[in-house]
Structure formats: structure tokens, C-alpha cells
Amino acid sequence: MRPTTFYNFFNPEAPPQIVNIRTDHGGLQLRDLMRQWPVKKVLTSRDIHYSQVVMPRDQVEDYILPQLLPNEQNSVNRGEQLPITVRDLDTLTEYRLCLWENGSSYVLTSGWSSSFVRRRALEIGEEVGFCWDPRLRLLRFSVLSRPPVSPPRE
């Protein structure tokens, strides 16, 4: 439990109260509020070693493209790179990447390696999630699971 100050904004004359917030398992994370990550991806060697992440075509077409403006959809469908903002919900940082169609899949490029792979130390086998935020017009990103670390051999 972590003591946290609670202010009652409905009654400004009420004194602040100290409330204990449960912090087991790291407490409630912002990414947990999303509840659903419609585009999920287990990272492969291609996603880690090249400067792009390949996203599942059907998931992008079902959950991201319909949220884009018509001219943005047309741009992506013509094979052009569409600059979009990607917000990392784990670190609350934003980056400009490009979304484009690459034949049988969709790809995020232009900074994937430097903005995410190196900075977040992403590895093969980790699962990441993407979700389009129509209100902010950006793509949300989070690392959903990391493989357990095996203890060093003696």
C-alpha cells in the first residue's frame, strides 16, 4: 500500500485525506485502462533487426485503417508512407513514424529501431500492442508481455 493524498474537488473546503493505494503488481497502469489491444504482434527477428515492424494485415485493416481520414486511407492504399504519431503508453513518449502497405502486410518505419527497439531494449518473442486513438488521432503502443528472464547458469 502506498499513501496518496486525495483532494475532494467537489467540496473545496474539505481538507485533503491520505488514502492508501494498493501497489501490488506495480499498481494500475495507464495501459491497463485500454483493456483491449486490437493489433497485437509477437516481435520477430525482422522486427528487431530491420528498421520497421511488420503488423498483421487483417488487424490493421479492421482496427486502424477505418479510423483514418479518407485521404489518409487512400494514401496508405497507394503505397505512400503516412506519417503518424505513435505514443508509447509505458513511457508516455511520442514519436513520428510512417505507416505504409508492403504487399501482404502493413509496416511502421522511419524511426522504429531508434525510437522503440533500442530505447526500450525490445527483443524477439516479446508481445506488443497497438490501438488507434480516434480522439487524439494517434497510434498507442505498449509492450504487453516479455518472456521470463532465465537465471544465469553457474
Side-chain angles (χ1 to χ4, degrees), residues 51-107:
S51 59
Q52 61 188 19
V53 62
V54 179
M55 302 168 66
R57 184 177 187 84
D58 58 335
Q59 293 176 10
V60 172
E61 288 178 343
D62 290 344
Y63 298 106
I64 295 177
L65 289 184
Q67 303 288 332
L68 299 178
L69 299 173
N71 62 326
E72 294 171 331
Q73 290 177 18
N74 291 337
S75 175
V76 172
N77 290 333
R78 286 192 305 266
E80 298 172 7
Q81 293 189 9
L82 176 68
I84 60 172
T85 301
V86 180
R87 176 179 287 172
D88 186 335
L89 290 187
D90 301 322
T91 62
L92 298 178
T93 53
E94 292 184 0
Y95 300 92
R96 290 292 280 181
L97 301 181
C98 290
L99 175 69
W100 59 285
E101 183 181 14
N102 183 16
S104 62
S105 59
Y106 288 88
V107 182

Side-chain angles (χ1 to χ4, degrees), residues 3 28 37 41 43 45 49 51 57-58 63 66 70 73 82 98-99 106 118-119 123 132-133 137 139 146 148:
L28 183 63
W37 292 94
K41 166 77 178 171
L43 298 176
S45 62
H49 299 298
S51 59
R57 184 177 187 84
D58 58 335
Y63 298 106
Q73 290 177 18
L82 176 68
C98 290
L99 175 69
Y106 288 88
R118 280 186 233 127
R119 186 180 55 81
E123 296 181 7
W132 184 259
D133 184 327
R137 305 216 28 83
L139 190 63
R146 293 186 177 242

